[in-house]
Amino acid sequence: MRNLWNLLVRYHIAVVFVILQGIALTWFIGSHGYPRGRWVQLSLEWQGEWNQRLSQWQRLSDLDDLNRELLAENAVLRADLHSARGDAIQSAYQGAEVIRCTWKSTSNQIILNKGTKHGVRTGQGILQANRIVGRVIEASENYALALPLINSSIEWSVRIGATGPVARLVWEGGDVSRAMIYDVPRSTLISPGDSILSSGFQGYFSPGLLVGSVANEAPLFDGQFLNVPISLAVDFRAIRYVQITAIQGQAEIDTLSNRRGHNAP
Amino acid sequence: MNKRLLSYVRVLVPLMLHVLFFQYATFASGWWFFGLHLLGLLLMPLQSPPIMLLLIAAAFGSVVDAANYEGGLFMSSCVFMALLMPAINRLLAPREGYEVTDQPTVSSMGAQWFTIRCLLLLSIHHLWMFGLEAGRYDLIPQAIGKALASSLLSTGAFLVILLLTRRNPNTR
């Protein structure tokens, strides 16, 4: 016991280093690319407030206010349009402003100036002019943290064209205007410029929303499947005003899905 | 406030500036990460005990992590840099050793000493950080490139900052 103590005293710097690295790497592995939990909420609240103050100082004209009004009006009009068309999945929309967006890392994030107080919940989708941006993964009272399409830690369900097969979209880092879709059957006819739309299967978005288009590059063969490079529809470097979409009846769908899951053999 | 305490307070200023204003300071499509908080760590007194360096580096890193939602990335990198800081200081020590009044600044140790120390320590920090952040083997070459580019450019920036803010250029 005494020898052990002597050893610890002798190598105390290495011991402290290992302990601190252990804490840091556990924190890193546990949250990298998908930060959630109480510390994120606290930081989000403080950061959001500070960022908003900075942004207010930088505001040069009243055009921002006008933009916000238009955003809210657009949200209402879009919801009315869905309702009038009688779409199978009805969504509610509300406007939000992006107060922070990163695009240089492999685990990019977006922070919005709307939180639980405004009805924002984890799992809601984010759109910009009917194009998919990402989804909310954490919300504090006044702010929401979202993962955009350009985050390599998550996958998205997409459909090629309006009636084509469903595939997985993954952003692999690097160019923020490009991504890759996997698991496309080899028999699928694909041409550059074909639309890539949301499938609606993940429950974050209505089906048929634009994600991007097939890039003018040859697809890669992967066994019975193709990996197809695509161009993303949203310009993440210029993103500012977005709409948060909430699918109506999502809670009921989740309950049904969970119940079936529990009863499954 | 005595000089020793003042030198520790000086260390906090770059951290505060980084968290409040420069946390998004990444330029050239991610090839230049400007971590101003690292200037604070580099300005830690030369006689600081290694344990204190590790603990302060961990605290700095965790504050930046909390502000950037990076969950441990900066903490890990700062702690790694702090571990090697005493060794780099010994490596660059003058033949007669450091004097009690020596400070790790341009005005105290000269531009050449500061540049070499800064470049070495920033390279250590950035290689660890970009390597961890890359997360995949195929992104490692790019991570090394980013680390070296960021180290070079940040060293230049830190040098300029210290030259512009030095109070008494004839101390040494």
Side-chain angles (χ1 to χ4, degrees):
Chain A
M1 194 65 191
R2 192 180 197 134
N3 285 341
L4 180 67
W5 177 250
N6 287 340
L7 200 72
L8 284 178
V9 171
R10 189 171 173 189
Y11 295 108
H12 64 288
I13 295 171
V15 171
V16 171
F17 171 73
V18 169
I19 291 170
L20 291 175
Q21 275 297 349
I23 294 169
L25 292 177
T26 308
W27 187 12
F28 177 70
I29 293 164
S31 68
H32 188 55
Y34 207 96
R36 299 204 60 186
R38 184 70 188 141
W39 71 271
V40 174
Q41 287 185 5
L42 283 173
S43 181
L44 192 59
E45 198 62 26
W46 182 86
Q47 284 265 328
E49 216 164 285
W50 174 249
N51 284 332
Q52 205 152 37
R53 202 160 289 177
L54 278 185
S55 141
Q56 277 166 1
W57 291 338
Q58 288 164 352
R59 199 161 287 163
L60 296 173
S61 70
D62 293 337
L63 279 174
D64 278 336
D65 296 332
L66 190 63
N67 272 338
R68 267 190 214 96
E69 281 170 27
L70 284 171
L71 198 65
E73 199 177 325
N74 271 343
V76 173
L77 287 172
R78 184 155 290 132
D80 287 351
L81 183 68
H82 280 286
S83 179
R85 279 201 312 223
D87 289 349
I89 297 178
Q90 299 284 324
S91 301
Y93 297 86
Q94 67 168 310
E97 186 176 353
V98 174
I99 55 174
R100 182 182 164 191
C101 177
T102 64
W103 60 81
K104 289 166 185 166
S105 144
T106 49
S107 49
N108 294 305
Q109 300 153 359
I110 289 176
I111 297 176
L112 306 171
N113 68 340
K114 292 282 166 70
T116 50
K117 199 168 77 179
H118 310 97
V120 177
R121 298 283 178 271
T122 300
Q124 290 183 338
I126 301 167
L127 304 175
Q128 184 200 40
N130 252 6
R131 296 162 182 180
I132 290 186
V133 172
R135 72 178 170 93
V136 175
I137 61 158
E138 189 67 87
S140 62
E141 196 182 344
N142 294 299
Y143 304 97
L145 176 66
L147 295 188
L149 291 177
I150 52 167
N151 183 306
S152 59
S153 60
I154 46 174
E155 296 182 350
W156 306 83
S157 175
V158 295
R159 190 185 290 282
I160 299 166
T163 54
V166 172
R168 286 184 300 126
L169 181 147
V170 179
W171 182 71
E172 298 185 311
D175 190 347
V176 295
S177 63
R178 293 296 175 98
M180 188 72 94
I181 51 173
Y182 292 93
D183 301 343
V184 179
R186 284 180 81 155
S187 56
T188 312
L189 292 174
I190 302 170
S191 307
D194 283 356
S195 298
I196 305 298
L197 309 172
S198 60
S199 70
F201 289 174
Q202 287 174 303
Y204 312 132
F205 305 100
S206 314
L209 295 168
L210 188 63
V211 176
S213 57
V214 174
N216 195 11
E217 292 172 30
L220 309 170
F221 291 93
D222 182 11
Q224 290 303 307
F225 297 99
L226 295 172
N227 300 337
V228 183
I230 68 160
S231 302
L232 295 173
V234 172
D235 180 1
F236 286 93
R237 291 168 193 270
I239 195 164
R240 181 153 185 195
Y241 295 104
V242 293
Q243 282 161 345
I244 302 174
T245 167
I247 292 181
Q248 288 171 2
Q250 185 61 41
E252 193 177 337
I253 295 170
D254 288 343
T255 309
L256 189 64
S257 171
N258 290 338
R259 195 187 306 158
R260 180 66 189 94
H262 289 311
N263 294 340
Chain B
M1 202 184 293
N2 62 31
K3 271 189 175 176
R4 194 176 173 82
L5 193 59
L6 252 180
S7 60
Y8 283 111
V9 170
R10 184 182 59 184
V11 163
L12 286 174
V13 174
L15 173 70
M16 285 167 60
L17 288 175
H18 179 84
V19 170
L20 293 177
F21 300 105
F22 293 101
Q23 54 176 300
Y24 320 128
T26 309
F27 309 104
S29 303
W31 283 81
W32 181 16
F33 162 71
F34 182 58
L36 190 58
H37 64 292
L38 297 174
L39 180 61
L41 285 180
L42 290 170
L43 291 179
M44 284 286 289
L46 289 165
Q47 293 78 17
S48 304
I51 289 289
M52 183 188 269
L53 279 176
L54 285 175
L55 293 174
I56 290 181
F60 267 50
S62 53
V63 167
V64 177
D65 275 326
N68 282 28
Y69 313 105
E70 283 293 355
L73 180 67
F74 290 105
M75 181 180 173
S76 174
S77 318
C78 287
V79 167
F80 187 62
M81 184 179 92
L83 177 76
L84 297 179
M85 208 182 256
I88 300 287
N89 288 344
R90 276 197 301 277
L91 187 75
L92 299 175
R95 199 181 307 159
E96 65 279 13
Y98 294 109
E99 291 173 22
V100 184
T101 51
D102 281 344
Q103 291 182 340
T105 57
V106 177
S107 49
S108 174
M109 301 302 294
Q112 191 185 358
W113 182 92
F114 179 82
T115 305
I116 296 171
R117 177 175 180 265
C118 189
L119 196 59
L120 283 172
L121 288 170
L122 287 184
S123 299
I124 289 163
H125 177 278
H126 289 348
L127 283 168
W128 184 270
M129 185 187 79
F130 281 110
L132 267 182
E133 204 263 345
R136 288 206 320 258
Y137 287 116
D138 57 324
L139 290 177
I140 291 293
Q142 194 187 41
I144 292 172
K146 284 182 175 180
L148 296 180
S150 293
S151 306
L152 269 172
L153 293 167
S154 297
T155 299
F158 289 172
L159 195 61
V160 170
I161 290 170
L162 289 189
L163 284 171
L164 290 174
T165 55
R166 70 177 169 177
R167 278 188 299 181
N168 183 6
N170 299 320
T171 304
R172 193 177 170 88

